[in-house]
Amino acid sequence: MAQSLQPFHTFSLPSQCPQISVITDNRQLQQQSFSLPFCILGEGSNTVFLNDYQGVVIKMATTGITVTQRVHDYLLEIAAGENWHQLVAYTLKQGMPGLENLALIPGTVGAAPVQNIGAYGVELAKFVEYVEYFDIASKQFIRLSAEQCEFGYRDSIFKHGLKNKAVITKVAFALPQLWQPELSYGPLQQLEQVTPQAVFEQVIKTRNSKLPDPYVLANAGSFFKNPIIANALLNELLLVYPQLPHYYYDGEHHKVAAGWLIEQAGLKGHRIAGIEVHQQQALVLVNHGNSRGSDLVAMVKYIQQQVWQRYQIKLQHEVRLINGDAEYLINLEEPA
């Protein structure tokens, strides 16, 4: 009997699937069949089901936190189903700062390494000690070091070599006992008293001012990746758009703000059916209801085309789109 997926992804498009398997104990994975198409899900805050899914949705709902104090740091070993923001709050209460810049990012701990979540100058990879996963082929639990995870900007081995081959079951973080704040982003530079709690609260305040609560207004958070462009293109753009926010990436590239590109293209408030570019933060697409996956796809393509025509920059969506029985990538079709 088909089950509704609408409550399982925060963008809340109407969709169904034949089976939802909730994992509360990692040993269940050894009994789980992976013969049908499958989709691994945490809280569904970075996944959108465009239409009915033809396979099994496996929701990771495991819990557990273990802390070991070492000479120079704390080792935290966290079950995949734990809520990410609640973990950040927990570490501060326990006097183990470091993750505060990543406050209020929706989703679970197990989903965090897949796209190497990041915000306000900090990426998850900075703190990862290891990631444990269930290997679907061998039915064994395997650990990868941070280096073996091949982390990049919103990227990891779990999007490539281990895609559809692994289920993340645990993530371990090393938080240094000597705290060093990361204050490079605007709102954090204005803090009068720099404490982990102050950074945590400022990040929450800033995110709340920009990003709608997905449980109040359906959305999937930041929809597009901040593009990484060559310095030559950046220099050309700055002649025309001197206010373009840009951040050093490496010697030959800078990262530019996708939300700014979309907003300056005049797309705030643009609407297709019930899908809208959010009025406060152009990086977010919201779903007012009465929408289908095809409406969202049309919106993504339209935004990509407008940004390309204006800046010659290709936008890529950060949110995972599931179409039928597989992931769907919407790539810009360049005008001839």
Side-chain angles (χ1 to χ4, degrees):
M1 182 177 173
Q3 298 185 61
S4 173
L5 285 169
Q6 211 161 354
F8 287 88
H9 68 129
T10 60
F11 205 80
S12 200
L13 287 175
S15 50
Q16 296 181 319
C17 76
Q19 183 187 348
I20 298 172
S21 181
V22 179
I23 304 297
T24 56
D25 185 323
N26 290 332
R27 288 172 294 187
Q28 289 173 255
L29 292 168
Q30 294 175 312
Q31 313 305 321
Q32 176 70 46
S33 171
F34 291 90
S35 58
L36 292 172
F38 62 89
C39 175
I40 309 298
L41 205 61
E43 292 181 354
S45 56
N46 193 57
T47 299
V48 176
F49 291 96
L50 295 172
N51 45 43
D52 290 350
Y53 186 62
Q54 306 303 321
V56 181
V57 171
I58 300 171
K59 178 176 172 58
M60 293 300 293
T62 52
T63 58
I65 297 174
T66 303
V67 179
T68 306
Q69 184 170 347
R70 302 190 293 197
V71 177
H72 299 295
D73 61 17
Y74 301 98
L75 177 68
L76 283 73
E77 295 170 290
I78 318 295
E82 290 281 354
N83 175 273
W84 175 259
H85 174 69
Q86 289 174 11
L87 171 67
V88 177
Y90 169 85
T91 60
L92 290 185
K93 284 180 182 174
Q94 299 299 316
M96 301 179 294
L99 302 177
E100 54 282 337
N101 292 55
L102 305 179
L104 218 61
I105 295 178
T108 58
V109 169
V114 177
Q115 61 167 27
N116 184 20
I117 61 171
Y120 301 103
V122 173
E123 286 189 338
L124 182 88
K126 177 181 178 181
F127 299 105
V128 170
E129 175 105 349
Y130 69 79
V131 175
E132 178 189 275
Y133 70 91
F134 174 73
D135 184 76
I136 291 169
S138 69
K139 295 193 179 298
Q140 301 295 312
F141 294 94
I142 297 172
R143 287 185 180 181
L144 296 181
S145 67
E147 185 179 2
Q148 290 172 312
C149 290
E150 299 176 9
F151 289 123
Y153 173 62
R154 300 297 177 271
D155 205 16
S156 73
I157 193 171
F158 300 102
K159 283 189 168 184
H160 303 285
L162 289 177
K163 186 175 181 179
N164 297 326
K165 298 177 182 178
V167 183
I168 293 174
T169 51
K170 185 190 296 182
V171 186
F173 303 101
L175 300 182
Q177 292 185 31
L178 184 62
W179 179 64
Q180 290 187 306
E182 170 53 67
L183 306 172
S184 58
Y185 274 61
L188 301 179
Q189 294 173 357
Q190 296 150 22
L191 286 174
E192 293 181 7
Q193 286 189 310
V194 178
T195 66
Q197 189 66 27
V199 173
F200 177 75
E201 290 172 4
Q202 184 62 50
V203 167
I204 290 173
K205 181 181 176 182
T206 304
R207 289 185 73 90
N208 278 333
S209 71
K210 294 181 176 182
L211 303 172
D213 183 340
Y215 299 103
V216 176
L217 178 56
N219 72 87
S222 300
F223 208 93
F224 296 95
K225 296 179 184 179
N226 288 323
I228 295 164
I229 64 172
N231 290 342
L233 176 57
L234 174 65
N235 292 333
E236 288 178 25
L237 289 170
L238 288 174
L239 293 174
V240 185
Y241 309 103
Q243 304 302 317
L244 171 62
H246 55 283
Y247 307 94
Y248 178 85
Y249 183 77
D250 61 30
E252 298 178 354
H253 300 86
H254 275 68
K255 187 163 59 176
V256 295
W260 189 93
L261 300 175
I262 297 166
E263 179 176 350
Q264 295 301 310
L267 296 175
K268 263 189 179 178
H270 182 72
R271 192 159 171 162
I272 296 177
I275 310 294
E276 183 187 29
V277 180
H278 189 48
Q279 300 277 1
Q280 275 71 50
Q281 171 53 276
L283 195 55
V284 176
L285 303 182
V286 298
N287 175 20
H288 293 284
N290 299 315
S291 306
R292 297 187 299 180
S294 56
D295 300 318
L296 177 59
V297 171
M299 175 66 87
V300 172
K301 288 182 174 180
Y302 182 75
I303 292 170
Q304 287 176 328
Q305 289 162 359
Q306 295 300 305
V307 167
W308 171 259
Q309 288 171 13
R310 193 178 181 97
Y311 312 104
Q312 310 296 253
I313 291 176
K314 293 182 181 180
L315 278 189
Q316 294 180 311
H317 54 90
E318 181 177 325
V319 173
R320 187 171 60 144
L321 304 177
I322 309 296
N323 191 32
D325 62 359
E327 193 165 341
Y328 177 48
L329 292 174
I330 306 176
N331 290 315
L332 174 71
E333 296 173 9
E334 290 181 36

